[in-house]
Amino acid sequence: MKILMQPIEMYCVYDESGRVDPLAFRWEGDDFTIKASLVVKERKEVRIAGNFAIDYLCDWRQGERLYSSVIRWDRRENRWYLYKI
């Protein structure tokens, strides 16, 4: 997987306990835009330089091709990133 760490627009839901589940994202690259629905396979809490984040291992489809990537939510900054693809 290639590390990108690019900011993305995320559509997500929160349950009553405060758990966050990503549903879909939008990312504008240099030459193209990706809009995709996510299927979350794994959720993992990580700590980077004192910041807590949650990594989501996700599958998503662009056309006929299936991708696997890591979406990261920085809880302190409340920002979403396309971390690895």
Side-chain angles (χ1 to χ4, degrees):
M1 287 186 150
K2 179 181 175 182
I3 296 178
L4 294 176
M5 199 60 174
Q6 294 290 318
I8 57 175
E9 292 178 24
M10 178 61 69
Y11 304 96
C12 58
V13 294
Y14 295 81
D15 66 10
E16 293 88 17
S17 67
R19 180 183 166 113
V20 180
D21 290 318
L23 300 176
F25 75 96
R26 181 172 181 258
W27 177 59
E28 291 191 22
D30 294 333
D31 300 329
F32 55 90
T33 299
I34 296 173
K35 295 179 187 177
S37 297
L38 299 170
V39 175
V40 177
K41 293 170 50 178
E42 185 180 331
R43 180 180 191 268
K44 179 180 172 185
E45 292 194 28
V46 294
R47 186 172 176 173
I48 300 118
N51 293 337
F52 290 97
I54 299 176
D55 285 353
Y56 296 89
L57 178 59
C58 305
D59 288 340
W60 50 277
R61 190 175 295 279
Q62 182 74 15
E64 293 296 318
R65 190 164 176 197
L66 181 67
Y67 293 90
S68 197
S69 62
V70 176
I71 306 291
R72 176 169 284 172
W73 177 46
D74 185 334
R75 293 177 6 179
R76 191 177 89 184
E77 295 182 14
N78 197 26
R79 291 192 180 191
W80 290 89
Y81 298 96
L82 181 56
Y83 178 57
K84 290 183 184 178
I85 189 166

